[in-house]
Amino acid sequence: MSLTTTKKLHNGVEIPVIGLGVFKVPEGESVYDAVRSALDIGYRHIDTASFYQNETGVGRAIADSGIPREEIFVTTKVWNDEQGYDETLLAIDQSLQRLGMDYVDLYLIHWAVPGKYKDTWRALEEINKNGKARAIGVSNFLPHHLEDLMADANIKPMINQIELHPQLTNVATREFCKENDIAVEAWAPIGKASYLDDPVLQELSKKYDKTAAQVILRWHYQNGTIIIPKSVRASRQKENADIFDFELSSDDMNIIDGMNIDNRLGSHPDHLNK
Ligand SMILES: NC(=O)c1ccc[n+]([C@@H]2O[C@H](COP(=O)([O-])OP(=O)(O)OC[C@H]3O[C@@H](n4cnc5c(N)ncnc54)[C@H](OP(=O)(O)O)[C@@H]3O)[C@@H](O)[C@H]2O)c1
């Protein structure tokens, strides 16, 4: 088990279970250095979005790394104001141009924009068929959004990327995805580092001799969740990837499940403010 450990999506595409998130990493040298460092450490999966405005730096870092393009899994996302059928077909071309690539591995609808996401999904199906994205999926979709989307879809989403961490365990959405063979990917997997000092996590950290971040990331991994922790620092990128040499007991998995307080750090998917 390592950074190249993958999970198979329902269309057969393999995604590395750990990736590097780059939300809020500034375009230019910052994102370039973060991605180069992660690739040096062994990461082979990068999660960006047109909204992050750093696709150019991500693409440059990947190109300069010398690692064959097909060995790196790249995700980007269509932003809310790019949604609609024609708009999304344009948005993917603009993302690819910024990335300097002729395909991405995964293209996601960033949020379920009411009245738009079904047309956006038709575009994603086209993008998948024409090879510009090897896999397609959604982000921040609740079960009712997925049911509505799948009622008309020809291709079922391969992934749902949702806010997911011990204080927001999102059980209903995870169950729905499991029943429908849609892989779950956690954003803010360590809760944006906002409660790593929680006494429950600190106790588990001592017990397993791992950091609180590693305990949380291991909990995700044992749940079968794909994780994309963000760090611009090589030491933390290494730390976040070093979760394969211990195993949480089922009692301790339950203790972490019990931390849920429905604490959303981002928008509620039904109440978009952007
Ligand atoms: N689909 C969506 O709507 C959506 C929304 C938000 C995020 N995302 C994706 O998910 C990725 C991860 O989410 P996120 O960035 O919001 O939150 P996160 O990964 O849970 O936390 C990132 C924060 O934790 C710090 N950190 C990282 N590793 C640490 C460690 N081992 N110990 C202590 N602090 C640590 C980072 O600081 P340093 O960088 O200074 O180390 C940063 O401040 C994003 O980067 C993005 O790719 C998607």
Side-chain angles (χ1 to χ4, degrees), residues 78 80 82-89 116-117 119-121 123:
V78 53
N80 302 346
E82 296 171 321
Q83 288 200 36
Y85 184 77
D86 292 334
E87 293 87 340
T88 301
L89 293 180
K116 288 273 177 82
Y117 63 76
D119 288 337
T120 306
W121 186 253

Side-chain angles (χ1 to χ4, degrees), residues 23 47 139-140 161 188 192 230-233 236 239-240:
F23 181 37
D47 183 90
S139 176
N140 300 302
Q161 183 183 114
K192 297 187 184 278
K230 172 260 177 188
S231 181
V232 294
R233 306 167 204 226
R236 286 179 175 169
E239 176 186 332
N240 296 342

